[in-house]
Each structure stands twice: as C-alpha cells, then as structure tokens.
C-alpha cells in the first residue's frame, strides 16, 4: 500500500511525468494536469476500496495499530476520534458550500460577473478552503485552550495542513492562472524550504544533499535527452516514423486496436525502462501517429502516464519496490511498543503484495480507454475555426477594399486622358494600370495569376494553411 501510494505522485498533479509528456507531445502542461486530475483521484479511490475490502473480509491481512502505540488519549481515556470526525464533517461542509458558490466568489473577487468556473479549479480551491477552516479552528483551540478539539484531532490537523498548503501553492496557483507550471513548482519548492525552516528541520548538510540530488537527477535527465535526440535523428534519417506509421495505422480495430497494442507494448517496455526513457524515446514515435488517427493527445498522454506508472510497481526495475525494500526490516526485530519479536519482510512478500495494486492500475487504464470523458470532461472546450470560411471572408474583404480604392482614386489629369491625334498610342505610363479594374495586381487579372512565388496564386487562404502547416 505504501509503495502503491507513492506511485500516485506520477499521475496526480504536480507530476513530473506529465510535464515531460506535455513537452514531448507539444501540449500544455496545464491541460495534462486538468485531464489527469480525476483519473488520479479515481485510482486513489480504487486503492482505498481495496484496502477497505481486505479490512472487512480478511482483517488479519491489515491488522490495526496495537493499543500500546495509540499514544493520543484524552484525560478521560477517550481516543478523540469523535472530535476528529466532527472537524472533518465541518471542513467538508465548508468545502462543498464554497464549491457550489464558486461563481459568486469569483464575481466578488474580480469585480465582474463570472458565470462558469472549471471543475478542477472548484475542487482545488474548495479543498483548500475547507482545510483552512480546520486549521483555523485548531489554532484557536491551541491559543485559547478552550478544549474544542481532542489531542488527536489537533495533531492530525497540524500535520496535514502543511502538505495541503503546498498542494495549493502548486496546483491552486496554476489552476487560478496566477502562475505557470514552472512558477508553481518554484513556489512549491520555496514553500517546502520555508516550512522546513519553521519546523527547524533544515540544515546546511540537508540543503547540500538536496542540491546534490537535484543536480544528479537533472544531469541524468539531460544525458537521456541527448541520447534520445541522437536516436531520434538516426530514426528520422532512416524514415523510421514512416515505417512505424504504416505498421501501426494498419492494425485491425482502428483506434481501439492501436490503443490496445500501444498500451501492451508500453506495459512490457516498462519492465525494463524508466518513464524518462519511455517519454523521450517511445512517445515521440507514437504521438504523431495518434494525432493522425484523430486521437486527442491530452487524453493519450494521460493514458500513457497511467500506464507508465506501472513501471514503479513491477520487477525487475520497480523503483517503488526497491525503496520499500530499503526501509523494510530484513531481520527479526523487537517492536518498541509491544515488546514482541517481529518477523522480517522478505522481497517476495513485497512483490506479492504489489500485484493487486498493479492490477488496479491496469483496471484504471482500461477505464480511461472505455470512458475518455474522465480526462476530456475537465478540459476547456476547444474553439473550432472554419479555415475555409475565414479565407472566403478575407477574399471578400480584399475585393471590397480594392474596389473602394479604385472608385476613390485620384482624378486623371488632362495629360493622362489626352490622346494624340489620329488615335496614336496612349501617353507613356497610361497602360501601366492593372486591367482588372481593382487597382491591385494579382486580383482578377490573368496576367498576374502566377503570384510572387512564380506560379502560385496570391490566395490568403492557402497562405494561412501553409503557415499553419509549417
């Protein structure tokens, strides 16, 4: 459960995987964040549901905390769960009320009427509002010592609020339009530094370690990017994309066949490759093909991110499993609270325990394929522009302006209108005007139909389409 929960960071914003995929697909990071919001929390719900099922039907597999370890007790001996439940209900009521009146709040804040607020923004702001109310009640309770909350409820509030504040600094500022994803990440990092300083947990040695780890990770990514770029250049020179496109585009089943093949391939490759390698090597090959087949790249990116999440949970390179192995006891030990001798956790037990959560991840991949609205439902509606209609309107406007310019032209001088006796040739320069009567060369004149490109007409519509194609 701990290892599986750690992998949620790869799909729930602010996710590094989504940032890399957005860069490789040429899409907005904010769009991928919005698209992954509901699937990420849906996967978290599946995890919770599985643990609840085990707790009800096989409680021996998820034993409760020993009574000796339950240190938060009221003077009366009560556990304090009731106070915590009341505080949770209060925060939920405030969050729901804030979400239902989000348009009115935005109208008051911006000084103008706001009729629609995106769902993801409502969720983030409402959660932060409810959490702030819980934190405010806990602060008042600690300062005034009124006994409004139990020790357990107060401790839980002060432990959970700082991470929620970091979430708001990153996601809230991005969804509200205050900061870009890069700026949101910087604000989150600065908030974490301030929080560690206030808790007196930040030291120079820890800061140097964090900077060194960040530098190693950045260098690791850059070298992968260099290698992937070289591979891409060779692949392009050998017409690799054309071969792959012909191979995948002719798969039976159309879009569904393509999606099934791609997800099976990514799942198998995830046994041996990290998500960085998959993002820099595999995704640039698959994304153009998916785009040509009419697949929404934002939805496709979230689907791949959900699939790549499995690379952290299965051997032989499941990083989450290795992290858990490094902290789990490998020898018998004596529990500090109960005094009992506890058996070690074996690597095979970790692998077996990860299988149900791996299957839940695959179930979520299937749900995204079956219900694309889980991703696209939270995105802003795209404005479709009819380029043909735009080109026709531009041509009409140009013809009208040209006709008006010809009608409003300067009066001809006597010298221009004079003709030599005997009907001789006109005055030099009089024949230089366009014969189309529009006053502009290339419009309605067959002698200028070639255009400046030496053969192509001056068609604004074609110029717009060529510019878009470039």
């Amino acid at each position: 459960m701990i290892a599986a929960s750690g992998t949620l960071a790869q799909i729930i914003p602010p996710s590094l995987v989504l940032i890399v995929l957005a860069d490789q697909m040429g899409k907005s990071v904010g769009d991928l964040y919005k698209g992954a919001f509901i699937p990420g929390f849906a996967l978290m719900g599946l995890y919770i549901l599985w643990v609840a099922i085990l707790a009800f039907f096989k409680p021996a597999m998820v034993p409760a905390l020993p009574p000796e370890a339950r240190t938060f007790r009221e003077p009366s001996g009560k556990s304090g769960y009731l106070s915590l439940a009341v505080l949770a209900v209060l925060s939920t009521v405030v969050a729901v009320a804030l979400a239902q009146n989000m348009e009115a709040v935005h109208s008051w804040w911006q000084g103008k009427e706001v009729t629609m607020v995106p769902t993801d923004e409502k969720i983030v702001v409402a959660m932060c509002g409810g959490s702030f109310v819980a934190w405010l009640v806990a602060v008042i309770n600690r300062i005034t010592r009124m006994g409004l909350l139990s020790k357990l409820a107060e401790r839980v509030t002060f432990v959970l609020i700082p991470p929620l504040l970091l979430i708001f600094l990153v996601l809230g500022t991005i969804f509200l339009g205050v900061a870009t994803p890069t700026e949101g990440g910087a604000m989150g990092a600065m908030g974490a530094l301030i929080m560690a300083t206030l808790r007196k947990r930040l030291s120079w040695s820890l800061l140097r370690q964090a900077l060194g780890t960040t530098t190693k990770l950045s260098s690791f990514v850059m070298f992968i990017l260099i290698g992937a770029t070289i591979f891409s250049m060779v692949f392009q020179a050998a017409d690799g994309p054309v071969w792959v496109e012909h191979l995948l585009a002719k798969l039976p089943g159309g879009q569904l066949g393509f999606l099934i093949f791609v997800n099976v391939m990514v799942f198998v490759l995830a046994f041996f490759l990290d998500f960085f390698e998959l993002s820099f090597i595999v995704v640039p090959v698959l994304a153009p093909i998916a785009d040509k087949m009419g697949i929404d790249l934002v939805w496709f990116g979230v689907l791949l991110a959900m699939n790549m999440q499995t690379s952290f949970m299965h051997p032989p390179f499941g990083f989450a499993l290795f992290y858990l192995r490094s902290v789990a006891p490998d020898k018998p030990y004596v529990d500090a609270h109960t005094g009992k001798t506890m058996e070690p956790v074996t690597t095979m037990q970790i692998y077996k325990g990860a299988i149900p959560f791996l299957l839940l991840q695959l179930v979520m991949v299937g749900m995204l394929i079956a219900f694309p609205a889980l991703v696209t439902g939270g995105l802003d509606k795209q404005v479709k522009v009819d380029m043909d209609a735009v080109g026709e309107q531009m041509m009409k406007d140009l013809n009208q302006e040209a006709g008006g310019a010809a009608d409003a032209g300067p009066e001809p001088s006597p010298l221009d209108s004079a003709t030599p006796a005997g009907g001789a040739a006109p005055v030099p320069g009089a024949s230089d005007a366009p014969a189309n009567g529009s006053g502009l060369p290339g419009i309605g004149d067959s002698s200028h139909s070639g255009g400046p490109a030496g053969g192509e007409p001056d068609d604004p519509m074609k110029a717009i389409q060529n510019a878009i194609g470039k």
Side-chain angles (χ1 to χ4, degrees):
M1 178 64 183
I2 295 175
S5 300
T7 63
L8 289 173
Q10 311 306 319
I11 190 64
I12 294 181
S15 165
L16 179 61
V17 174
L18 296 178
I19 294 176
V20 175
L21 286 175
D23 174 70
Q24 294 301 308
M25 292 186 168
K27 291 297 179 180
S28 167
V29 177
D31 286 344
L32 261 75
Y33 276 3
K34 292 178 180 180
F37 199 85
I38 295 178
F41 281 95
L43 181 60
M44 182 180 67
L46 290 179
Y47 289 170
I48 296 174
L49 180 61
W50 170 248
V51 174
I53 292 174
L54 287 181
F56 278 107
F57 296 100
K58 291 197 173 182
M61 298 184 65
V62 283
L65 193 67
E68 296 85 352
R70 304 172 192 175
T71 58
F72 293 96
R73 291 284 180 179
E74 298 300 304
S76 61
K78 295 182 178 180
S79 61
Y81 289 127
L82 179 61
S83 176
L84 179 61
V86 171
L87 184 62
V89 171
L90 175 63
S91 301
T92 304
V93 170
V94 172
V96 172
L98 186 59
Q100 291 178 346
N101 298 277
M102 192 64 66
E103 290 80 4
V105 173
H106 273 263
S107 300
W108 169 77
W109 178 263
Q110 299 181 11
K112 59 181 181 180
E113 184 179 2
V114 176
T115 58
M116 195 272 295
V117 178
T119 304
D120 48 8
E121 183 176 330
K122 286 184 180 181
I123 294 174
V124 173
V125 177
M127 289 176 58
C128 292
S131 303
F132 176 76
V133 170
W135 175 81
L136 187 61
V137 172
V139 170
I140 295 175
N141 181 73
R142 173 167 290 187
I143 294 176
T144 61
R145 301 183 182 276
M146 297 174 60
L148 299 174
L149 300 177
S150 63
K151 291 183 179 180
L152 177 64
E154 186 176 298
R155 178 65 181 271
V156 169
T157 302
F158 285 120
V159 169
L160 287 181
I161 292 303
L164 293 176
L165 178 61
L166 286 180
I167 292 175
F168 176 75
L169 281 176
V170 179
L171 293 184
T173 53
I174 293 174
F175 288 153
L176 292 175
V178 178
T180 64
T182 304
E183 294 168 347
M187 293 178 66
M190 182 57 66
L193 288 175
I194 294 174
M195 196 176 301
T197 303
L198 293 177
R199 293 191 172 191
K200 298 180 180 180
R201 294 184 178 180
L202 182 64
S203 61
W204 284 111
S205 60
L206 184 62
L207 184 60
R208 285 196 300 270
Q209 179 184 354
L211 293 175
T213 304
T214 303
T215 304
K216 291 179 182 178
L217 180 61
S218 301
S219 302
F220 168 68
V221 174
M222 288 303 300
F223 275 101
I224 291 178
L225 181 59
I226 292 173
T229 303
I230 296 174
F231 168 79
S232 178
M233 292 175 62
V234 176
F235 194 68
Q236 294 281 349
D239 286 335
V242 178
W243 289 87
V244 175
E245 180 181 351
H246 288 171
L247 172 65
L248 298 182
K250 295 181 180 179
L251 288 173
Q255 289 186 356
L256 182 60
F258 170 77
L259 291 172
I260 293 175
F261 176 82
V262 167
N263 280 280
V264 172
M265 180 184 68
V266 171
F267 177 75
V268 173
L269 290 176
F271 277 84
F272 313 101
L273 299 177
D274 185 34
F275 79 89
F276 276 118
E277 289 90 341
L278 292 173
S279 299
F280 288 133
I281 298 176
V282 178
V283 172
V285 177
L286 299 177
I289 302 173
D291 191 27
K292 290 183 179 180
M293 297 182 69
I295 298 175
D296 189 308
L297 288 186
V298 175
W299 172 69
F300 188 62
V302 174
L303 181 64
L304 290 181
M306 186 68 71
N307 198 334
M308 288 185 209
Q309 192 181 8
T310 61
S311 66
F312 291 84
M313 287 295 293
H314 53 54
F317 299 112
F319 290 107
L321 305 181
F322 289 153
Y323 297 151
L324 184 60
R325 173 69 278 175
S326 65
V327 298
D330 55 354
K331 297 179 181 179
Y333 69 98
V334 178
D335 184 73
H337 294 286
T338 62
K340 298 179 180 179
T341 301
M342 310 299 293
E343 294 296 327
V345 179
T346 64
T347 302
M348 189 56 63
Q349 288 176 334
I350 295 176
Y351 285 167
K352 290 181 179 180
I355 292 176
F357 297 97
L358 183 62
L359 294 177
L360 290 177
Q361 291 175 348
L362 295 179
V363 168
M364 196 64 210
V365 171
M367 291 177 62
L368 290 183
I369 295 177
F371 306 103
L374 290 173
V375 176
T376 59
L379 301 178
D380 298 332
K381 302 300 181 183
Q382 294 183 353
V383 179
K384 296 184 179 180
V385 179
D386 188 352
M387 299 303 298
D388 294 332
V390 172
E392 293 176 2
Q393 184 63 37
M394 290 182 65
M395 290 293 298
K396 187 182 298 184
D397 293 342
L398 285 173
N399 289 330
Q400 289 178 355
E401 292 177 3
D407 295 340
E411 292 292 334
S413 64
L415 290 176
D416 292 336
S417 59
T419 304
V427 177
S431 62
D432 293 338
N436 53 29
S438 66
L440 293 175
I443 300 181
D445 186 1
S446 60
S447 63
H448 294 278
S449 60
E456 293 190 3
D458 291 328
D459 187 354
M461 177 59 200
K462 192 168 184 179
I464 293 175
Q465 292 178 340
N466 290 338
I468 294 176
K470 294 178 181 179

